[in-house]
Amino acid sequence: MPMTAAVSSLPASPTAATHWAEGGGIEVLPRIFEDAITLAVLRRPLPYDVLAGALAQTQARHPLSFAWRGEPGDALRAALREALHCPVVCGPLVEDIQTLAEAMAFLFDTDEVGLRLRRLDAPMCPRFHCDNLPVRLVTTYLGPGSEWLPETAVDRAGLGAPHPDKPDIVLADAAIQRLEAGDVALLKGSGWIGNEGRGLVHRSPAMESSQPRLLLTIDPA
């Protein structure tokens, strides 16, 4: 299906009937604690200095795959500086990741977080699915953002391993939504107590071979 025809952006003003919230201020992220909300999105443009660090990771000869678990702070900064390509331009990117890790730890009252930063040259999870974990922070620094479905466009009987007898997951292609590069999203999964069977349905976006993606995910540990 052509990406330009099938994918739309988030609605400008969610109504009370929706299960997502979005806005340009940090105060939107705690809305993930509302029972009805399964997606909270902070819409933000990325500063040029952060983009410069991200671009260095996508242009390097060797793909970046960084995984870390611990308390956000100087240890995370040091680990990032050691792992990132072209560290001389990566200071703002490191601080942005640090800020998001601190925010995740604060929001979910945990000392540690699990973090992964990866350059992706192909979709990681191209099939629509929902995670069994409680919650995950997702942001794409470069490249297309994650795609997700409003609940009204999902047939959950089609989720899981593909099988010829299963129905299509997507009820309406035009309902597919996409996060933008720079957006910070909290995705509530089926492992969230009280959200069993209602995890946000999402997938990795289709990608052009010339357009790698730099993806950060953070989980409360």
Side-chain angles (χ1 to χ4, degrees):
M1 86 189 155
M3 195 63 60
T4 53
V7 178
S8 60
S9 60
L10 284 167
S13 179
T15 68
T18 63
H19 57 90
W20 62 92
E22 58 104 0
I26 194 71
E27 66 277 359
V28 72
L29 295 180
R31 292 199 61 191
I32 198 67
F33 291 100
E34 298 177 21
D35 289 343
I37 297 297
T38 59
L39 173 68
V41 183
L42 168 62
R43 307 280 288 224
R44 60 169 193 162
L46 287 173
Y48 287 116
D49 53 2
V50 174
L51 282 171
L55 189 61
Q57 310 316 306
T58 61
Q59 292 183 336
R61 178 177 301 179
H62 303 292
L64 173 72
S65 183
F66 173 78
W68 186 88
R69 177 175 173 143
E71 183 175 355
D74 289 340
L76 173 57
R77 288 187 178 95
L80 282 166
R81 292 189 184 108
E82 183 176 350
L84 293 180
H85 302 295
C86 198
V88 68
V89 300
C90 290
L93 175 61
V94 168
E95 288 307 311
D96 192 74
I97 295 169
Q98 167 69 19
T99 297
L100 295 179
E102 288 178 345
M104 197 66 170
F106 176 80
L107 265 178
F108 295 98
D109 192 23
T110 180
D111 291 332
E112 296 187 347
V113 297
L115 182 151
R116 295 193 72 181
L117 180 68
R118 288 163 287 183
R119 188 188 93 184
L120 302 174
D121 298 301
M124 183 175 59
C125 301
R127 179 176 167 82
F128 275 112
H129 64 284
C130 61
D131 297 327
N132 290 323
L133 46 74
V135 66
R136 170 166 286 166
L137 182 150
V138 174
T139 189
T140 301
Y141 284 105
L142 281 175
S146 299
E147 296 175 0
W148 61 278
L149 287 170
E151 192 62 30
T152 53
V154 175
D155 186 343
R156 288 186 176 268
L159 294 172
H163 190 277
D165 295 334
K166 283 188 174 182
D168 291 337
I169 299 170
V170 183
L171 297 178
D173 285 348
I176 298 172
Q177 306 288 322
R178 177 186 285 174
L179 301 171
E180 301 296 334
D183 289 348
V184 178
L186 292 176
L187 283 59
K188 189 182 288 183
S190 295
W192 184 290
I193 296 174
N195 198 58
E196 297 84 354
R198 292 183 59 243
L200 184 79
V201 177
H202 62 285
R203 72 178 179 186
S204 300
M207 295 172 58
E208 301 291 339
S209 59
S210 60
Q211 188 183 33
R213 185 177 180 222
L214 187 65
L215 175 69
L216 173 71
T217 61
I218 306 177
D219 301 336

